[in-house]
Each structure stands twice: as C-alpha cells, then as structure tokens.
Amino acid sequence: MAKDNDWKSRLGVVFSTNPDFKYETESEETVQTLEPSRQKLIVGIDRKGRAGKQVTLVTGFVGSDEDLKELGKMLKVKCGVGGSAKDGEIVIQGDFRDRVTALLKEAGYNAKRGN
C-alpha cells in the first residue's frame, strides 16, 4: 500500500479529480548495445578544460552504460593508465590514440583515428 502512495515520485504533478486515475511513472528505455562491427568509434585527443593535460577521447559508442564501462576498463588495463567511461564517452589519460585505435580494431570495433 505504501508503494502506491509514494508522493516523492509524483512531485510537480497536477491534482486530478478523476477517482479512477492511476499515476504512471515513465520507465527508461534500455538501449540495445550494437555488436562491435556496427559501432563507429572515433578516437581523438582533447585538452580543453583539463588544465593542459592530454586525454584520449573515444566517442560514438551506442549501447548500455555497463558495456561502455566494460570497454573502458579493457582499454585502461591494456594501456596501463587511468580514465573514465560515462555519458557515451571513454576518457583515457594521456595520448594513446594509435594504441587505442589498434586495440579497438583488434577487438572487432569499427574504430577511426580522429584529430
């Protein structure tokens, strides 16, 4: 009964006088991860907003956050550096464009070196 009366999930909703009204929360769609051969990844370098430090940026990943983090972890381990994977981007600390592109192609991804 308490689950049906969870008011925090309905903040900002206008009151309804319909006695049969049932509030439905929007469910997030799960993004299907494309197989590696259909991914179009671009490997570039970025310095903006990073205090002059270089990072290798992998963009263009289509799929779930778990798969993105798994791919990011594999790249970080193979390069032996730190980084992060979020918002559809993988950030690898340092300039590893050539190595990351080679690793992605070896894993079956359609990777292209950017800038």
Side-chain angles (χ1 to χ4, degrees):
M1 187 70 175
K3 185 73 174 158
D4 294 337
N5 198 17
D6 186 19
W7 60 273
K8 290 181 183 178
S9 66
R10 297 188 312 253
L11 282 176
V13 175
V14 178
F15 179 75
S16 174
T17 57
N18 184 355
D20 298 326
F21 180 77
K22 294 283 185 195
Y23 181 76
E24 297 174 8
T25 57
E26 294 180 17
S27 60
E28 292 185 24
E29 292 183 21
T30 57
V31 179
Q32 292 293 333
T33 303
L34 296 176
E35 60 265 11
S37 60
R38 294 184 60 204
Q39 297 274 4
K40 292 185 174 98
L41 302 178
I42 298 170
V43 181
I45 194 162
D46 190 23
R47 291 181 197 89
K48 292 185 173 72
R50 303 180 195 282
K53 305 258 192 275
Q54 295 178 342
V55 295
T56 304
L57 198 61
V58 181
T59 57
F61 186 83
V62 177
S64 68
D65 285 339
E66 293 83 29
D67 294 331
L68 178 72
K69 288 181 194 241
E70 187 177 310
L71 179 61
K73 181 175 172 99
M74 184 268 294
L75 291 174
K76 290 187 293 185
V77 167
K78 298 267 184 167
C79 292
V81 294
S84 67
K86 59 185 172 189
D87 301 329
E89 294 181 338
I90 299 172
V91 177
I92 305 292
Q93 295 173 353
D95 186 3
F96 289 100
R97 289 176 288 184
D98 295 328
R99 185 187 283 178
V100 168
T101 304
L103 287 170
L104 288 171
K105 285 184 179 180
E106 186 180 300
Y109 287 91
N110 185 8
K112 183 172 81 171
R113 184 176 171 187
N115 55 351

